[in-house]
Amino acid sequence: MLNLRSSAFTWKNGQVYLAKCAEALPIRWSRQLPPGCVPSTITVKLDPSGRWSVCLRFNDNRDFQLKPLKKRVGVDVGISSLIATSDGTKVNNPKYFNKLYKKLRLSQKSLSRKTKGSNNYQKARLKVARIHAKIKDSRLDYTHKLTTQLIRENQTIVVEDLAVKNMVKNHKLARAISDANWGELVRQLEYKAEWYGRELIKIDRYFPSSKRCSECGYVVDKLPLDIREWDCPECAAHHDRDLNASINILAAGLAVSVCGATVRPEGSKSRRAGAMKQKAPSSDVKESRAVTQVQRREDVKQRTPRGRVVTSAAWRHLGFAPPDEQLSLKL
């Protein structure tokens, strides 16, 4: 990757001329720059698949605000269905990685048999990189189209604040979660909502959106992932797991936007931890902490004649009495 400032290139007639180059770069433009905009920085990249790309940075003062709408929607992300919205819409997950998995597997197997550094190794490596690039481009293009549609059709969008990095630690679901591209989907919704004047609300990740009945508010104890539909034992309402979660997400997001109320369950660890952090320690707690610190300090700061720090437990482990119990001790 090469970052070039304005002194290292020239912008002339809609073309980029690098320093000491007489000809313009043969760029296939994805879109033209707005009239009157001049790039301040250019970044030249070479990806592992052998493709060159040029990124131009410029100041754009245009107003992209869209006309306000009254529609609000809650979005629940998933694996079988990429998203489920509170208005009853489900979007299928294209699963681009699975479509090219067999081809990628054979290419990687061929690469592992090549001698590193040889020409055949570089050809096989380039083939694997191109398959990965195709998967990435297809996934990114689909995510851009989906997020743009959500932004244009809704004024308020509510999503869950999921910890995707922690969720992919589950090795049984890591590949499916990574292929679903949840983190990128939420990231695009954030900046596009800011661009187009929409509102994006994130609710707490510990909110039981799937286990809560959207009709009566009853929360079931357990709801495994293999159960996609369930009946409420309180009001006997039949729920689709994803659609019910999206309805609850919308209701929780509206509560947060209106009154700033917490949507964490009463018995959640995160809520108890937050309450403990806000509560000031009492005088008894302060005294007990002070006594504990003094005892710990006296226990640690007992030195041998050689100057080494040895605790009372270590003294007894060696078969000796601590210095406060024995006046003279030789090691």
Side-chain angles (χ1 to χ4, degrees):
M1 184 174 66
L2 180 63
N3 293 322
L4 303 175
R5 298 189 178 274
S6 57
S7 59
F9 68 91
T10 302
W11 175 258
K12 183 179 179 182
N13 297 330
Q15 299 293 330
V16 177
Y17 295 82
L18 298 183
K20 299 182 180 180
C21 293
E23 297 182 359
L25 293 179
I27 301 176
R28 186 173 62 184
W29 297 91
S30 61
R31 61 181 181 271
Q32 295 296 326
L33 268 66
C37 293
V38 178
S40 59
T41 304
I42 289 180
T43 302
V44 182
K45 296 181 181 180
L46 175 64
D47 63 2
S49 62
R51 299 180 304 181
W52 290 90
S53 62
V54 179
C55 302
L56 285 74
R57 182 178 180 180
F58 58 91
N59 295 326
D60 191 0
N61 298 322
R62 294 179 298 172
D63 186 12
F64 294 97
Q65 301 290 322
L66 296 176
K67 184 179 179 180
L69 302 174
K70 296 183 179 180
K71 188 177 179 181
R72 299 170 295 188
V73 68
V75 178
D76 178 63
V77 295
I79 295 177
S80 58
S81 298
L82 182 58
I83 64 169
T85 59
S86 56
D87 56 2
T89 304
K90 278 190 173 183
V91 178
N92 294 329
N93 187 0
K95 298 181 181 180
Y96 291 107
F97 185 85
N98 291 343
K99 293 179 180 179
L100 295 175
Y101 174 71
K102 185 177 181 180
K103 186 176 181 181
L104 178 63
R105 179 175 173 272
L106 294 176
S107 300
Q108 289 179 333
K109 188 175 182 180
S110 176
L111 175 64
S112 64
R113 294 173 176 173
K114 300 296 187 295
T115 303
K116 287 189 176 181
S118 63
N119 292 333
N120 289 333
Y121 180 85
Q122 294 300 328
K123 294 178 182 178
R125 184 200 62 80
L126 190 62
K127 186 177 180 180
V128 173
R130 286 174 178 172
I131 297 175
H132 278 293
K134 186 176 181 179
I135 296 173
K136 176 185 175 182
D137 294 343
S138 301
R139 184 188 300 147
L140 190 62
D141 178 71
Y142 186 82
T143 306
H144 270 295
K145 293 177 180 178
L146 180 60
T147 53
T148 302
Q149 181 182 359
L150 288 173
I151 289 293
R152 291 185 179 277
E153 295 179 355
N154 304 280
Q155 180 64 32
T156 303
I157 303 173
V158 186
V159 296
E160 289 180 302
D161 185 18
L162 297 177
V164 180
K165 290 184 179 180
N166 296 335
M167 298 175 70
V168 295
K169 294 180 181 179
N170 184 353
H171 299 291
K172 296 181 179 180
L173 298 174
R175 192 175 75 182
I177 293 175
S178 300
D179 193 27
N181 213 16
W182 293 346
E184 179 65 18
L185 189 144
V186 176
R187 188 192 72 86
Q188 291 184 12
L189 286 176
E190 287 180 353
Y191 77 79
K192 289 182 181 180
E194 184 179 357
W195 280 2
Y196 299 110
R198 303 306 194 200
E199 183 182 11
L200 180 68
I201 303 174
K202 290 184 179 181
I203 67 170
D204 191 85
R205 65 189 64 167
Y206 298 104
F207 177 68
S209 58
S210 298
K211 298 189 294 183
R212 180 183 294 272
C213 175
S214 58
E215 297 291 338
C216 64
Y218 179 81
V219 180
V220 297
D221 295 333
K222 294 182 179 180
L223 193 65
L225 291 176
D226 58 343
I227 299 178
R228 309 312 303 175
E229 296 182 0
W230 59 282
D231 295 325
C232 177
E234 189 72 18
C235 64
H238 182 74
H239 296 295
D240 180 274
R241 180 193 183 102
D242 299 331
L243 297 179
N244 176 70
S246 62
I247 295 174
N248 290 327
I249 289 172
L250 176 61
L254 296 179
V256 172
S257 63
V258 172
C259 57
T262 178
V263 294
R264 291 181 178 178
E266 293 293 337
S268 66
K269 297 180 180 180
S270 58
R271 183 163 185 163
R272 292 199 300 268
M276 291 174 61
K277 290 180 181 179
Q278 295 176 2
K279 185 178 179 181
S282 59
S283 58
D284 297 337
V285 175
K286 292 181 179 179
E287 293 178 0
S288 63
R289 290 178 181 175
V291 172
T292 305
Q293 291 177 358
V294 171
Q295 292 177 353
R296 189 180 302 167
R297 197 176 297 113
E298 292 177 354
D299 190 39
V300 172
K301 290 185 178 180
Q302 295 174 352
R303 296 181 178 274
T304 65
R306 296 183 182 181
R308 294 177 295 180
V309 178
V310 182
T311 62
S312 299
W315 283 104
R316 294 189 179 91
H317 179 71
L318 295 173
F320 301 105
D324 54 356
E325 299 179 7
Q326 183 179 350
L327 296 179
S328 60
L329 181 63
K330 295 182 179 180
L331 295 178

